[in-house]
Amino acid sequence: MSDHYYSNKPEAAHDRQTLETELRGYKLKLTSDAGVFSKNGVDYGSRGLIGAMDLQGAKSVLDVGCGYGPIGIVAAKLLPDAVVTMIDINERAVELARHNAIQNQVSANTVIKQSDRLEAVREDRFDVILTNPPIRAGKDVVHAIFEEAYEQLNEGGTLWIVIQKKQGAPSAKAKLESMFSVVEEVTKDKGYRIFRAKK
C-alpha cells in the first residue's frame, strides 16, 4: 500500500506504454506508466464520466486526480476556448499528463500541476470540476475533495463524479446532498454511478 497511484513519488520501475483509444469521437494517443492509475487502458469509470459530462458554456474546468490525463484532455478538446486545469498528487502522473496534452494537441489550453487534493489551485475558481476520485486513498480523502471542490466552484458551477456503488456511491451521494443545492444521478452502468452536483 506504500506505493500505489495515490503516492506523490511512486517507486515502481518504469514501464511506459502508449495506448490508442477513442473518446467522445476523438482519437487519442495516451502514454501511461507503472505507478499510475489504470496504466493498461482508460478505466471503465473514467470512460463513463467522459461520455456523460456536459461542459457546455464552461470557461474554466478542473480535473481532480487527472492521472495521465484522459478526462482533462477530452475536456480540453471539447472546449478549445476554455482553460482546463489538471491536478494529481502523483508526480509521475503529472509528467505523463503534460506529455499527453502535448501529444494530443491541447497543451495551449491546459494547465497541469502536482497537487495534494486541491491545494495547488486554492486561489482559482471553476465552472466545472470533474473527478474520478482516488477511492484507495480512503473515504476521508474523497469527501475532503468534495468539500474543497464546493469551495472552488463558481456559483451555479457543477461537480461531476464517477464512483462505484460498492466503493461508496451511497455515502458519496449523501455527502454531496449535504452541501450542494441539486444532486442528480446522471447515469448508472455496471455498478458505476455518475453524479452531477450543482452549487
Side-chain angles (χ1 to χ4, degrees):
M1 192 66 180
S2 63
D3 184 31
H4 59 86
Y5 67 83
Y6 197 72
S7 304
N8 58 356
K9 272 184 177 293
E11 290 165 12
H14 285 283
D15 178 25
R16 280 198 166 205
Q17 55 184 316
T18 299
L19 319 164
E20 294 194 8
T21 187
E22 187 170 317
L23 298 165
R24 289 288 280 261
Y26 297 105
K27 286 187 165 63
L28 303 180
K29 196 177 274 193
L30 299 167
T31 301
S32 77
D33 199 351
V36 301
F37 177 64
S38 196
K39 71 180 170 77
N40 293 318
V42 180
D43 66 292
Y44 200 83
S46 291
R47 285 181 176 277
L49 180 58
I50 289 165
M53 62 191 189
D54 178 1
L55 309 179
Q56 210 169 345
K59 292 293 176 206
S60 51
V61 176
L62 176 65
D63 175 7
V64 180
C66 66
Y68 51 83
I71 296 170
I73 287 168
V74 174
K77 289 273 191 192
L78 291 167
L79 296 170
D81 297 326
V83 175
V84 177
T85 303
M86 298 154 66
I87 58 174
D88 202 293
I89 192 172
N90 181 326
E91 70 176 18
R92 192 176 290 183
V94 168
E95 184 188 315
L96 289 166
R98 287 188 180 128
H99 172 79
N100 288 328
I102 294 165
Q103 191 163 244
N104 292 284
Q105 291 87 46
V106 294
S107 57
N109 67 320
T110 53
V111 176
I112 302 167
K113 300 178 177 184
Q114 187 173 6
S115 179
D116 186 1
R117 302 201 305 252
L118 280 70
E119 195 61 48
V121 292
R122 278 279 176 265
E123 304 307 311
D124 303 322
R125 294 293 176 269
F126 302 94
D127 295 326
V128 176
I129 297 179
L130 308 162
T131 188
N132 182 352
I135 300 302
R136 285 179 61 178
K139 183 168 150 182
D140 290 349
V141 169
V142 172
H143 286 195
I145 287 170
F146 297 168
E147 289 167 4
E148 291 173 22
Y150 180 86
E151 295 302 323
Q152 305 297 119
L153 275 171
N154 288 321
E155 204 59 45
T158 53
L159 170 64
W160 290 77
I161 294 141
V162 60
I163 192 163
Q164 273 186 288
K165 186 176 181 184
K166 67 182 183 190
Q167 290 182 327
S171 70
K173 187 172 188 226
K175 177 68 176 173
L176 294 170
E177 286 172 340
S178 74
M179 296 183 290
F180 288 85
S181 58
V182 180
V183 178
E184 58 181 323
E185 186 180 283
V186 177
T187 182
K188 57 182 174 186
D189 186 15
K190 291 189 180 173
Y192 286 89
R193 302 286 189 270
I194 292 172
F195 297 120
R196 174 183 174 271
K198 185 173 182 181
K199 184 169 177 178

